[in-house]
Amino acid sequence: MSSLLAGLNEAQFAAVTLPPQPALILAGAGSGKTRVLTTRIAWLIQTGQVTPQGILAVTFTNKAAREMLARVTAMLPLDPRGLWIGTFHGLCNRLLRTHFRDAGLPQLFQILDSADQLAAIKRLLKVLNVSDEKFPPRDLQYFINAQKEAGLRPQAVEAWDEYSRRRVALYAEYEAQCQREGVVDFAELLLRTFELLERNEPLRLHYQARFRHILVDEFQDTNRLQYRWLKCLAGGPESGAALFCVGDDDQSIYAFRGANVGNMRTFEQEFHVETIIRLEQNYRSDGNILQAANALISHNRHRLGKNLWTEQGDGEPIRIFEAFSDGDEARWLVEEMQSLVADGMARQDMAVLYRSNAQSRVLEHQLFSAGIPYRVYGGLRFFERQEIKHALAYLRLLVNPDDDTAFLRVVNFPPRGIGARTLEVLQDAARVAGSSLIRAVPGVAGKGGAHLTQFVALLEGLRRQGAGLSLADQIAQVVSGAGLTLHYQKEREGQERLENLDELVNAAANFMAEVAGRRATEEGTANPQAELVDFLAHAALEAGDHQADAGADAVQLMTVHAAKGLEFDVVFLSGLEEGLFPHDNSLQGEEGLEEERRLMYVAVTRARRRLYFSLAQNRMLHGQTRYNLRSRFITEVPPVLCKWLTPERTRPRAAEPSFSRYFDPAPQRGGVGRPPPAVTPYAGRDLGGLRVGQNVSHTRFGVGVIVAAEGSGAEARVQVNFGKQGVKWLALGVAKLEPV
């Protein structure tokens, strides 16, 4: 027993040896929560308080479940088959397999993954002759899963108009189809199990008596139905069951998936939790990194509260670099990586984190150009993403209509009524004629042939409309004219794909600036068709097989969401600008901003030894240059923890006030809040009677507030936040700003 508990710190020891009671363990990043969970399971069994069959341990990923199982069986000589350790969905599957008759399922029911579920919905819409434009399959999939996760069957869903009534009817038809075919989707696994336990009292009492110890990992990520499922198995607040919940409300970053961080507070209140243990000693990061994380998260008001600390010492300061542009930021990141590698740092111990997937394109380009191997963790490289490959296929057809691979990729995307049978007829016609598919279109008759003819006409129209346009404008016109923008706008989760398509336009503009201009010099005049050919070749090369294999010594690229649960010696956190991180979509309410700050907290606590913040004064976003304010998250880190790498001449001479200092939490009409205090770092500049913090009016952009300034006299320019119109740098000699 002494060896089992050896090495635990005081808080970990207290958590592991708690008597049977509802308990909440606030486990900070890097504080050893998995060790606490697995050691408690082993301790309960070793001390004879429970048999292995009396424990239920729930986590969120199969990887975490396997790790827990491996650790417990390494501590004790157990048959792992007797332990109920798994994900919510895995444990629900186990229960339903055992009680399939009571659940109203066939014994050999099959599980639909997300792709299979979407295919089933598409098939249903086709059978019912329902327009997939009016009811997009992905949107309907999201709707159905959201209702199930809320615990609602079709008859319980409120419908206020004809459209919502039709959606509810489709939900009912989908359920009937699944029941006929003997299949269940992921959301159904949880809902069906909850309903089974709720209505079948003998079965519920059996499992409540069996599982006297229920342990939950990553409790902050549970949704409402998962919490109700746990309550049902535990027997409610009065049952006396030992519901041992481990989580970190400061790392709750999945609200978009339905996670409800409020479950932690609800659990504390409903189960009358008397014991909250805080695991605050961190075994991962140096002190300065933890102090920065603590300072950041302290700005969130709705948290249970804890303070990370370490015995490892303060370590290095947080390095901050402010570039002029996103391209300059990426170049600097690569140079810093090369310097670290020269000093003996392994590339695989370095990670670049970003808020939006679209940011990876500039980074990938610079890494590729420098010959540095890299891996995109948890996602595809930029030019491999579905929406980018669709757009490139259209562009390839403009250059070469006989490209059958590109033709087949987009002939029915977005959907235009061209089915498999029509394509089969077309391919037969092309084979007989010995021609490409597009040249065989006139040989296809009927409705399918008409749709093919319309597609060919669309390509001709795109070719005509793009004539004379710059490369970037031509690509933007193709993305819009081909229907890609409209298609992804209809998808509930299509915003990221739209951002990537915008970034494709940015990539074309940057490509012209860096490379294609040479053609005009060599040939005398620019050739748009040749520029497009060059760009397509560039895209193909960058999408080539230069991403490092898993396990190779390569720099890691990933979103902050994908970085959850990982750690690295060196972390570069890029794009720290208002509107990007925190994201524009989060700035409308306190809940959204607090989730963004939790995301920032997760990003900071991924670093073990060295942490970098980087940002750009201007960045290409959504097809246009944006001049962004420095992220408020930078200003929330105490300056004593930071070391600015940017030369004095390229950034303001004094620390700039945080964004929240310029604006009230609830802006006044017109989007302009109160000005900052009269004394500012720029008070001495000659701005023609204007001052930083003053409200001004512009003939085009409307009313805004001056937030920064540089230069003086004839060379003075100011940075103005115009609310919905964005942040702009304006030359005072040209802009004609009027005081408000």
Side-chain angles (χ1 to χ4, degrees):
M1 186 56 60
S2 59
S3 63
L4 195 65
L5 303 177
L8 297 177
N9 64 39
E10 184 178 348
Q12 290 172 336
F13 183 91
V16 166
T17 58
L18 269 175
Q21 63 186 43
L24 182 59
I25 314 300
L26 291 180
S31 63
K33 71 175 178 64
T34 304
R35 184 181 185 188
V36 165
L37 276 164
T38 53
T39 306
R40 177 160 177 83
I41 293 172
W43 181 78
L44 289 170
I45 296 171
Q46 184 82 351
T47 55
Q49 298 182 58
V50 65
T51 65
Q53 291 74 21
I55 286 179
L56 180 76
V58 193
T59 187
F60 273 83
T61 67
N62 289 316
K63 178 183 177 183
R66 286 193 297 269
E67 182 180 358
M68 287 177 65
L69 195 58
R71 288 199 191 190
V72 171
T73 52
M75 293 179 191
L76 299 173
L78 293 172
D79 181 352
R81 290 174 296 182
L83 292 168
W84 280 57
I85 297 178
T87 65
F88 278 99
H89 294 117
L91 294 171
C92 286
N93 176 56
R94 190 168 176 175
L95 277 164
L96 291 176
R97 295 288 176 192
T98 306
H99 306 286
F100 63 92
R101 289 190 184 89
D102 294 316
L105 290 170
Q107 184 175 8
L108 301 178
F109 70 84
Q110 298 300 302
I111 299 172
L112 300 176
D113 63 19
S114 183
D116 290 337
Q117 183 191 25
L118 183 61
I121 290 172
K122 289 178 178 178
R123 180 160 45 85
L124 175 72
L125 294 177
K126 188 173 183 179
V127 168
L128 297 176
N129 198 27
V130 174
S131 168
D132 59 5
E133 292 187 1
K134 188 172 183 180
F135 295 93
R138 283 193 183 277
D139 187 64
L140 187 58
Q141 180 184 34
Y142 181 91
F143 170 76
I144 290 171
N145 290 340
Q147 304 316 306
K148 290 188 179 187
E149 287 168 4
L152 300 175
R153 292 297 183 188
Q155 58 271 23
V157 179
E158 294 184 350
W160 302 102
D161 54 29
E162 182 58 33
Y163 180 78
S164 57
R165 281 191 288 272
R166 186 65 176 134
R167 273 209 307 187
V168 172
L170 289 171
Y171 175 16
E173 293 282 359
Y174 168 77
E175 281 208 320
Q177 175 180 284
C178 289
Q179 191 66 30
R180 284 194 307 270
E181 297 175 2
V183 296
V184 296
D185 54 50
F186 282 143
E188 182 70 20
L189 282 171
L190 191 68
L191 180 56
R192 184 77 64 119
T193 307
F194 171 72
E195 291 173 338
L196 171 64
L197 294 171
E198 190 176 46
R199 72 169 182 267
N200 191 323
E201 185 177 11
L203 196 64
R204 182 175 69 253
L205 293 176
H206 164 74
Y207 281 108
Q208 287 173 356
R210 174 176 179 171
F211 297 127
R212 301 308 297 162
H213 288 271
I214 300 175
L215 301 92
V216 189
D217 188 18
E218 303 286 7
F219 186 58
Q220 77 279 353
D221 291 335
T222 53
N223 61 32
R224 286 180 172 84
L225 181 58
Q226 287 163 340
Y227 178 62
R228 291 172 66 192
W229 184 88
L230 289 167
K231 280 176 62 179
C232 190
L233 273 174
E238 309 305 326
S239 69
L243 188 52
F244 186 89
C245 298
V246 180
D248 184 1
D249 57 330
D250 291 335
Q251 294 189 77
S252 180
I253 59 173
Y254 296 117
F256 66 95
R257 294 181 186 169
N260 179 25
V261 67
N263 284 344
M264 301 188 80
R265 184 75 70 181
T266 302
F267 168 62
E268 179 191 3
Q269 295 168 352
E270 289 188 347
F271 280 79
H272 313 297
V273 176
E274 298 178 359
T275 304
I276 297 180
I277 295 178
R278 290 169 168 80
L279 305 182
E280 298 175 306
Q281 183 174 358
N282 179 282
Y283 295 92
R284 174 189 300 161
S285 306
D286 287 340
N288 283 338
I289 294 170
L290 298 180
Q291 290 182 57
N294 290 333
L296 278 162
I297 204 64
S298 68
H299 288 77
N300 276 6
R301 295 193 302 168
H302 305 291
R303 57 190 294 260
L304 294 166
K306 64 184 178 310
N307 209 49
L308 298 178
W309 60 276
T310 183
E311 294 179 340
Q312 296 176 182
D314 290 339
E316 302 179 22
I318 296 164
R319 294 164 168 83
I320 308 178
F321 182 84
E322 185 170 13
F324 176 70
S325 69
D326 50 354
D328 292 334
E329 179 194 29
R331 278 187 287 274
W332 173 79
L333 286 169
V334 168
E335 290 171 1
E336 191 70 11
M337 291 174 199
Q338 291 171 322
S339 176
L340 289 170
V341 170
D343 290 340
M345 175 70 66
R347 286 185 286 265
Q348 63 187 6
D349 292 331
M350 294 184 278
V352 184
L353 310 185
Y354 36 79
R355 177 64 180 84
S356 168
N357 261 316
Q359 290 173 252
S360 79
R361 202 274 311 167
V362 178
L363 295 166
E364 289 185 59
H365 174 64
Q366 291 299 330
L367 288 165
F368 176 56
S369 299
I372 297 177
Y374 69 90
R375 290 188 65 243
V376 179
Y377 183 92
L380 295 171
R381 290 171 290 172
F382 181 79
F383 285 107
E384 290 179 341
R385 293 167 191 165
Q386 178 205 84
E387 60 278 12
I388 300 303
K389 291 180 77 68
H390 286 329
L392 293 175
Y394 276 105
L395 295 170
R396 284 163 55 186
L397 287 172
L398 297 190
V399 172
N400 176 19
D402 296 322
D403 185 335
D404 284 354
T405 301
F407 184 93
L408 288 171
R409 183 176 189 91
V410 295
V411 65
N412 197 43
F413 191 91
R416 49 178 61 91
I418 300 173
R421 177 58 186 157
T422 299
L423 291 177
E424 185 179 329
V425 172
L426 176 63
Q427 288 170 319
D428 288 342
R431 193 178 303 111
V432 170
S435 71
S436 64
L437 294 175
I438 199 168
R439 297 184 190 279
V441 166
V444 181
K447 188 176 180 180
H451 287 154
L452 286 169
T453 301
Q454 290 171 3
F455 175 65
V456 174
L458 170 68
L459 294 177
E460 288 298 326
L462 292 175
R463 188 177 291 107
R464 286 194 306 272
Q465 293 161 18
L469 296 179
S470 68
L471 178 62
D473 288 342
Q474 184 180 12
I475 293 175
Q477 187 268 330
V478 166
V479 167
S480 174
L484 296 176
T485 300
L486 184 60
H487 175 80
Y488 290 120
Q489 282 174 344
K490 291 179 180 178
E491 283 195 0
R492 186 173 293 271
E493 298 180 0
Q495 182 59 38
E496 188 171 290
R497 297 192 188 278
L498 291 171
E499 290 177 359
N500 285 333
L501 288 171
D502 288 339
E503 185 58 29
L504 180 65
V505 177
N506 298 343
N510 291 337
F511 174 77
M512 289 302 299
E514 294 177 8
V515 180
R518 291 200 303 266
R519 184 175 292 275
T521 303
E522 294 166 359
E523 299 182 1
T525 58
N527 183 337
Q529 186 80 348
E531 291 167 357
L532 179 55
V533 170
D534 284 350
F535 179 71
L536 290 171
H538 162 76
L541 289 171
E542 292 230 351
D545 195 23
H546 59 267
Q547 176 164 254
D549 295 331
D553 185 23
V555 174
Q556 311 292 304
L557 303 184
M558 66 194 74
T559 64
V560 181
H561 279 103
K564 178 78 162 32
L566 303 177
E567 56 186 78
F568 305 92
D569 283 345
V570 178
V571 169
F572 296 91
L573 184 51
S574 64
L576 282 176
E577 300 136 33
E578 287 291 313
L580 186 57
F581 199 3
H583 198 277
D584 272 329
N585 296 343
S586 71
L587 299 179
Q588 304 306 313
E590 186 177 18
E591 286 186 7
L593 182 57
E594 290 209 348
E595 174 124 345
E596 288 289 297
R597 190 174 282 110
R598 292 195 293 269
L599 196 57
M600 179 70 177
Y601 176 85
V602 167
V604 168
T605 54
R606 299 311 94 195
R608 289 191 287 250
R609 299 290 170 262
R610 184 178 287 197
L611 177 62
Y612 292 86
F613 294 163
S614 67
L615 64 151
Q617 294 175 3
N618 70 81
R619 182 180 300 274
M620 288 285 285
L621 282 174
H622 314 309
Q624 57 182 297
T625 301
R626 285 176 48 165
Y627 299 91
N628 296 315
L629 290 169
R630 187 180 302 161
S631 171
R632 70 189 71 193
F633 296 150
I634 292 180
T635 67
E636 290 173 0
V637 174
V640 69
L641 302 176
C642 302
K643 176 183 179 181
W644 281 87
L645 303 180
T646 313
E648 189 76 16
R649 63 182 178 276
T650 66
R651 62 181 178 88
R653 288 181 299 165
E656 192 172 321
S658 71
F659 186 78
S660 59
R661 291 274 298 280
Y662 289 126
F663 297 92
D664 284 322
Q668 301 169 1
R669 184 172 299 175
V672 180
R674 66 170 182 263
V679 179
T680 76
Y682 315 101
R685 297 194 187 281
D686 176 13
L687 303 178
L690 300 177
R691 60 180 173 79
V692 172
Q694 186 169 11
N695 292 345
V696 292
S697 175
H698 186 273
T699 54
R700 178 180 174 188
F701 303 123
V703 177
V705 60
I706 300 175
V707 295
E710 66 179 28
S712 60
E715 296 182 355
R717 67 173 190 152
V718 293
Q719 190 179 39
V720 184
N721 189 302
F722 290 103
K724 291 184 178 179
Q725 299 297 325
V727 180
K728 319 286 183 183
W729 275 103
L730 302 171
L732 285 180
V734 177
K736 296 184 175 142
L737 297 173
E738 296 293 335
V740 175

